[in-house]
Amino acid sequence: MKRKVLSLLLAATMVLSLAACGGDKKEETAAPTEAATEAAKETEAAKDTEAAADTTAAADTQAASGETKTITIGYAPATLNNAFWLAVKDGVQKAIEERTGYEVTLVDIDAGGDQAKMNDGISNLLGAGCDAMLVAPADSTAAMSALEECKNAGVPVINFDTPVDNSTGIVETIIASDNYNAGYVVGKDAAEKMPDDAKILILNSDRASACVQRKQGFKDALDESGKKYTIINDLDGQGDLEVSLGVVSNAIVADPDLDVIFAVNDPSAMGSVNAIQQATVELEKDIMVYGVDGNPDAKLMIKNGDMEGTGSQSPETLGYESMMAAFDVLEGKSIEPEIVVDTFLITAENVDEFGTDGWQ
């Protein structure tokens, strides 16, 4: 680069020297002035190019120096009163430990299943300063106002587990388990094992789109099986063990001849098992109880013969992928608009493959 600048200066000097030797002064003066101006322009352009190269080199040096960037990440699951969401957070922490160049402050927003509370927490964190949000709504529709607030503030949102309507690009990506399949594999297993004209109780949590998808997958698998069945009730267990225990306790008094209980998550399924074990009426048959998640306690119930199965997912993978996506967005990298995590069935036949002392 310096060689080019020197050559241009020499060229300009030679032109000026030639202009001083004989000829018509008026014409000779005009020619060298034009040449000198052009040479000066080229010299300046060369300097600019050299400066740009120096700036790039400086940026590369800074990147290689190992300097850390301090960022704040909001973690907003539906609730922290559930082992699943704590396992998701473990995956987030794993990603933070693996990704170099960052000093991360992770701030929990514990909504306790209350979307209005989550929205307030998100708003407060935006006001305090936040670089990105990881959000799993308790209510996919009611969450939209908070997500809009994030977008207006220029804070990217990674939506995980419970998908929202992203038709307007309100979130950067949706990272979720294949919730439809989680319900489908359960429905397929139940259909193979239950009798014709089976009576089925569903414990829903229809505020969360993930749970709606699980229930739809379950029902579709039953329909495809050709088995006759009756859904005698579709009740809101709120995804909570204690709430589901109470709901099922009342349900089995009204219908002690149930064949299957399908719960849209494992806490509701475990609450159902507890209700059956504490039943105040004599049940006419063994009730097959299914859940969704792959919770370690649910797997132990499966191993012990108290629960029939669960449509399983990997919460740690959800958390890990969500945090890595947040890093990529903050670095200006493009990411997929949707990332799907596999789901599969765990029953007594394969529970030992996954163990009961942790998530899969």
Side-chain angles (χ1 to χ4, degrees):
M1 189 66 69
K2 290 182 179 178
R3 287 195 193 123
K4 183 175 181 181
V5 173
L6 181 59
S7 299
L8 290 170
L9 289 172
L10 287 173
T13 303
M14 290 175 65
V15 170
L16 290 171
S17 298
L18 290 170
C21 299
D24 187 334
K25 280 190 177 181
K26 186 173 182 180
E27 291 180 2
E28 289 169 357
T29 301
T33 300
E34 183 177 345
T37 301
E38 187 62 30
K41 287 181 180 179
E42 292 183 12
T43 301
E44 195 63 34
K47 287 181 179 179
D48 290 343
T49 302
E50 185 176 5
D54 290 342
T55 300
T56 301
D60 291 341
T61 301
Q62 183 177 354
S65 69
E67 292 182 10
T68 59
K69 182 177 181 181
T70 301
I71 61 174
T72 298
I73 304 293
Y75 176 62
T79 179
L80 285 172
N81 186 29
N82 183 325
F84 176 84
W85 301 114
L86 297 176
V88 174
K89 187 178 177 182
D90 288 342
V92 172
Q93 294 285 11
K94 182 180 178 183
I96 290 172
E97 290 167 7
E98 285 188 12
R99 195 73 163 237
T100 58
Y102 290 93
E103 181 178 331
V104 181
T105 299
L106 188 65
V107 181
D108 293 341
I109 299 173
D110 187 1
D114 185 338
Q115 189 58 50
K117 186 176 180 181
M118 181 188 290
N119 290 352
D120 289 342
I122 289 174
S123 183
N124 291 338
L125 187 52
L126 288 175
C130 183
D131 296 284
M133 289 276 189
L134 311 180
V135 179
D139 185 320
S140 306
T141 302
M144 297 302 283
S145 60
L147 300 181
E148 189 68 39
E149 186 177 0
C150 290
K151 191 171 184 65
N152 292 338
V155 174
V157 174
I158 307 301
N159 172 210
F160 69 96
D161 185 72
T162 307
V164 300
D165 179 4
N166 197 31
S167 57
T168 61
I170 199 166
V171 298
E172 300 296 324
T173 185
I174 296 174
I175 301 176
S177 298
D178 189 340
N179 287 295
Y180 177 87
N181 185 66
Y184 185 88
V185 295
V186 166
K188 184 176 180 181
D189 191 69
E192 291 172 355
K193 296 174 178 177
M194 71 187 191
D196 260 326
D197 296 319
K199 289 187 175 182
I200 300 174
L201 170 67
I202 292 178
L203 289 180
N204 69 56
S205 183
D206 285 349
R207 296 176 303 159
S209 59
C211 295
V212 173
Q213 292 168 10
R214 294 169 188 177
K215 185 170 73 173
Q216 189 61 53
F218 174 75
K219 293 168 69 176
D220 285 353
L222 293 181
D223 291 340
E224 288 177 15
S225 74
K227 282 278 185 75
K228 295 178 181 179
Y229 68 92
T230 302
I231 296 177
I232 57 101
N233 230 326
D234 190 338
L235 304 172
D236 187 2
Q238 299 180 25
D240 182 82
L241 189 153
E242 292 298 329
V243 173
S244 296
L245 189 159
V247 168
V248 174
S249 294
N250 294 330
I252 59 181
V253 169
D255 291 282
D257 58 343
L258 288 173
D259 293 286
V260 177
I261 296 177
F262 170 63
V264 292
N265 72 352
D266 279 346
S268 291
M270 291 187 289
S272 301
V273 170
N274 291 344
I276 291 169
Q277 292 173 339
Q278 300 168 22
T280 58
V281 296
E282 184 176 349
L283 302 177
E284 297 184 13
K285 61 190 79 172
D286 290 337
I287 303 173
M288 294 190 297
V289 178
Y290 290 91
V292 172
D293 278 341
N295 183 303
D297 292 334
K299 289 188 289 183
L300 185 59
M301 283 185 171
I302 292 170
K303 186 176 178 66
N304 292 338
D306 298 319
M307 219 175 115
E308 192 66 30
T310 180
S312 301
Q313 53 185 329
S314 175
E316 290 186 9
T317 300
L318 280 175
Y320 181 86
E321 294 290 347
S322 296
M323 190 64 233
M324 284 300 189
F327 282 131
D328 287 345
V329 169
L330 292 174
E331 292 172 7
K333 298 177 182 177
S334 60
I335 60 175
E336 294 294 326
E338 186 175 355
I339 299 171
V340 179
V341 177
D342 286 341
T343 52
F344 49 92
L345 182 69
I346 293 179
T347 65
E349 294 178 357
N350 65 352
V351 67
D352 287 337
E353 294 178 28
F354 302 99
T356 59
D357 57 351
W359 293 84
Q360 50 287 332

